[in-house]
Amino acid sequence: MWLQVTLGLSYLVLSFQSQDSASLRRSNDHTGRCQYTFTVDNPAEASCSGTSEGPDMEVVKSRLTLLEALVSRLLGGKGAGGEGPGGGGDKTIQEAYSQAMRDKSQLQGDKEQLNRQVQELQRRVDELRPCHQHQATGAGLPLHELNQRPASDSLYQEMKAEVTEVPASRLIQDAGQNHTGCGELVSVGEPVLHRKADSITGKYGVWLQDPEPMASPYGNKTVWRIDTVGTDVRQLFAYEDMEQFAKGFPMKVMVLPEPVESTGATLYRGSLYYQRRRSRTLLRYDLAYESLAARLDLPHAGFHGQHPYSWGGYTDIDLAVDEQGLWAIYSTSKAKGAIVVSQLDPESLEVKRSWETNIRKNTVANSFMICGRLYTVASYTAPDTTVNHVFDTATGQGRVMAVPFKNHYRYNSMVDYNHAQRKLYAWDNFHMITYDVSLGRPSRSSQ
């Protein structure tokens, strides 16, 4: 059997032989067109019989395809289509190589930039280190130098006291503040951003840390978060600490057995306390056992839009925690929309005692408890608003006040106090923030 293959290429003559039974020849025909001729003897047939088609021809075609690929490689990229070294295949490889080199350069540049940022951060950390740490350890000196220093030195230079000038007005202000115990709210600091929600479900929500965690897998560093936009809110995210919270890496996601209503939930002694959706039912969810531990209807409490805060959001029942325990802030039909404050038993949720105030719940944006006192925020959208009311449960008296408060992101839907951190936790238009607070000297005199 003889087989001749003609390929449309032009170049020099190439000869290829293998065991004298097959040959590949390249030459120009009478028109000057380059031809490849491949000749192979069929060891089984002395002559061809039948047509050129059939099973044998299919096998030959398959082998021919492989041979064409081999020829293409031998010719350094010249294929059956006449593409030489500058053909489309090499171009694609060259472009891919160029792109890879560009990506490598970009990654190298990013790496160098990150290294510079790390060095800058390290420099700032070194600058901010408390001076006493350097004094006590002789920071900045190798250990062998410290051992070789004369005993009379005694690290005198490092142990010298630093004198800092403090304005007299600051001294007067600090003299009236209480940094350890209870007292009346004196000031609220600037908002500090910890994380921004990355989806529409984070428009408003709840985020907290337990001020008094129990012996459980979770401590006071654990951060908890609930995105409360939706009709069936059940997911409770747990983060190992503030750093992981800021990065958005939860260590656990719990699915609550009952849906959450709005932003009134709170954390206390290893339990999440929240209002069940479309009801006045309060629930205590044990975080260690991941199960409901208590359930109680809050007597006569309005719910699902009957007595919300001024921003709405079904904020009829707001649970809070302070130095004195667990509280519910709500209203009833009997109180006609005025705020009622009730202290709850943290185990059973039973009401221990209640106070009715003269503050209309729908005229204030939010509220929180500190040292048994109720404080309300005037506006949830005004960038510069005030904490405008205080009600003291010890005296049963309330009054107007004006402590500056900032809604930096113009939609503050949650404000809760953490007495262990002495901070307000807030959720302001996708942004999870905290405020430092300052309290005055302890005083229970009615005003």
Side-chain angles (χ1 to χ4, degrees), residues 2 11-12 18 22 26 30 44 62 77 89 101 107-108 117 131 195 199 225 245 275 298 305 328 369 378 403:
W2 298 92
Y11 229 94
L12 300 175
S18 175
R26 181 180 182 187
H30 66 281
S62 175
M101 294 304 294
L107 288 173
Q108 187 66 30
Q117 291 176 352
C131 181
R195 176 164 174 76
S199 69
R225 165 183 169 178
F245 173 72
Q275 174 193 358
L298 187 59
M369 299 291 298
V403 174

XYZ file of all heavy atoms in Angstrom, residues 2 11-12 18 22 26 30 44 62 77 89 101 107-108 117 131 195 199 225 245 275 298 305 328 369 378 403:
210
model
N 0.546 2.202 -0.817
C 1.289 3.460 -0.906
C 0.371 4.593 -0.514
O -0.771 4.652 -0.880
C 1.805 3.692 -2.337
C 2.755 2.633 -2.786
C 2.465 1.485 -3.455
C 4.153 2.610 -2.545
N 3.566 0.743 -3.667
C 4.659 1.419 -3.112
C 5.056 3.478 -1.910
C 5.989 1.073 -3.074
C 6.367 3.124 -1.889
C 6.851 1.935 -2.457
N 9.633 25.482 1.650
C 10.930 25.646 2.296
C 11.913 24.667 1.665
O 11.722 24.263 0.500
C 10.836 25.442 3.816
C 11.500 26.530 4.593
C 10.746 27.621 5.033
C 12.842 26.495 4.884
C 11.340 28.639 5.746
C 13.426 27.504 5.585
C 12.680 28.580 6.027
O 13.277 29.579 6.741
N 12.939 24.232 2.401
C 13.983 23.363 1.867
C 13.572 21.898 1.912
O 12.573 21.531 2.525
C 15.273 23.573 2.664
C 15.817 25.012 2.626
C 17.012 25.123 3.552
C 16.208 25.393 1.221
N 13.073 5.526 8.305
C 13.071 4.677 9.495
C 13.042 3.223 9.062
O 12.031 2.763 8.513
C 11.861 4.997 10.361
O 11.797 4.115 11.435
N 9.862 2.945 5.677
C 9.054 4.143 5.603
C 9.962 5.325 5.334
O 11.114 5.341 5.759
C 8.300 4.359 6.907
N 10.512 15.621 1.173
C 10.008 16.975 0.956
C 10.675 17.551 -0.282
O 11.893 17.579 -0.385
C 10.355 17.845 2.179
C 9.877 19.249 2.076
C 10.271 19.969 3.327
N 9.794 21.326 3.324
C 10.100 22.229 4.223
N 10.900 21.921 5.195
N 9.604 23.447 4.159
N 6.085 20.593 -9.918
C 6.383 21.326 -11.150
C 5.923 22.775 -11.087
O 6.366 23.605 -11.879
C 5.742 20.613 -12.358
C 4.228 20.642 -12.313
N 3.505 19.762 -11.496
C 3.328 21.438 -12.935
C 2.210 20.017 -11.645
N 2.081 21.017 -12.520
N 1.635 -6.627 5.272
C 0.612 -7.685 5.147
C 0.022 -7.786 3.759
O -0.656 -8.759 3.435
C -0.485 -7.448 6.168
N -5.595 7.962 11.418
C -5.256 8.274 12.808
C -3.757 8.400 12.987
O -3.260 9.324 13.620
C -5.821 7.191 13.718
O -5.414 7.405 15.042
N 7.622 24.378 14.958
C 6.389 25.159 15.004
C 5.684 25.249 13.692
O 4.568 25.712 13.629
N 0.266 29.905 17.352
C 0.579 29.128 18.555
C 1.659 29.773 19.376
O 1.553 29.935 20.586
N 4.976 37.284 33.367
C 6.046 38.148 33.868
C 5.496 39.442 34.445
O 5.983 39.949 35.452
C 7.035 38.442 32.730
C 7.798 37.215 32.239
S 8.705 36.379 33.570
C 9.907 37.631 33.975
N 3.110 41.350 41.619
C 3.143 40.709 42.931
C 4.369 41.128 43.722
O 4.310 41.321 44.935
C 3.124 39.186 42.755
C 1.789 38.591 42.288
C 1.942 37.112 41.976
C 0.711 38.798 43.333
N 5.496 41.257 43.023
C 6.711 41.697 43.698
C 6.546 43.111 44.259
O 6.962 43.404 45.385
C 7.891 41.648 42.715
C 9.250 41.933 43.356
C 9.665 40.869 44.346
O 9.288 39.716 44.191
N 10.417 41.254 45.361
N 4.714 48.744 54.685
C 3.626 49.041 55.623
C 3.856 48.355 56.963
O 3.609 48.927 58.032
C 2.293 48.598 55.016
C 1.856 49.439 53.823
C 0.592 48.908 53.183
O 0.116 47.843 53.527
N 0.051 49.668 52.235
N 6.166 53.916 78.291
C 7.547 54.232 78.680
C 8.030 53.333 79.800
O 9.181 52.929 79.826
C 7.627 55.693 79.103
S 9.295 56.219 79.574
N -15.882 47.820 62.567
C -16.175 47.040 61.359
C -17.354 47.661 60.633
O -18.221 48.283 61.244
C -16.490 45.585 61.708
C -16.889 44.747 60.492
C -16.822 43.265 60.747
N -17.344 42.513 59.628
C -16.702 42.311 58.482
N -15.488 42.811 58.322
N -17.253 41.613 57.509
N -23.070 43.813 53.527
C -24.273 43.502 52.744
C -25.452 44.283 53.307
O -25.388 44.847 54.396
C -24.575 41.998 52.774
O -25.000 41.605 54.068
N -22.487 38.989 67.116
C -23.118 39.881 66.131
C -24.368 39.228 65.526
O -24.380 38.033 65.226
C -22.125 40.187 65.016
C -22.740 40.802 63.765
C -21.696 41.006 62.685
N -22.303 41.338 61.403
C -21.603 41.603 60.303
N -20.288 41.582 60.331
N -22.222 41.878 59.171
N -12.984 39.882 64.569
C -14.227 40.571 64.227
C -13.986 41.629 63.159
O -14.736 41.739 62.187
C -14.810 41.205 65.490
C -16.008 42.075 65.245
C -17.227 41.542 64.898
C -15.913 43.460 65.375
C -18.336 42.346 64.674
C -17.006 44.273 65.158
C -18.218 43.707 64.815
N -35.929 39.317 72.114
C -37.375 39.289 71.945
C -37.717 38.436 70.736
O -37.137 38.582 69.658
C -37.907 40.717 71.745
C -39.390 40.793 71.415
C -39.792 42.178 70.919
O -38.960 43.085 70.861
N -41.047 42.346 70.533
N -43.419 39.294 78.500
C -43.284 40.504 79.305
C -44.675 41.118 79.471
O -45.296 41.543 78.489
C -42.342 41.490 78.611
C -41.948 42.737 79.376
C -41.258 42.385 80.692
C -41.026 43.608 78.529
N -44.192 47.287 66.650
C -44.578 48.601 66.148
C -45.598 49.350 66.975
O -46.034 50.436 66.582
N -35.357 45.595 81.082
C -36.189 45.702 79.883
C -36.718 47.129 79.804
O -37.214 47.683 80.796
C -37.348 44.713 79.923
N -28.791 51.688 79.812
C -28.748 51.749 81.267
C -27.298 51.813 81.743
O -26.427 51.102 81.233
C -29.407 50.506 81.882
C -30.872 50.324 81.548
S -31.957 51.563 82.301
C -31.694 51.286 84.049
N -31.423 61.643 71.864
C -32.450 62.485 71.253
C -32.728 62.123 69.794
O -33.879 62.091 69.359
C -32.046 63.963 71.361
N -25.904 65.875 77.231
C -24.543 65.371 77.046
C -24.335 65.135 75.547
O -25.093 64.380 74.935
C -24.321 64.063 77.827
C -22.951 63.473 77.514
C -24.482 64.306 79.326
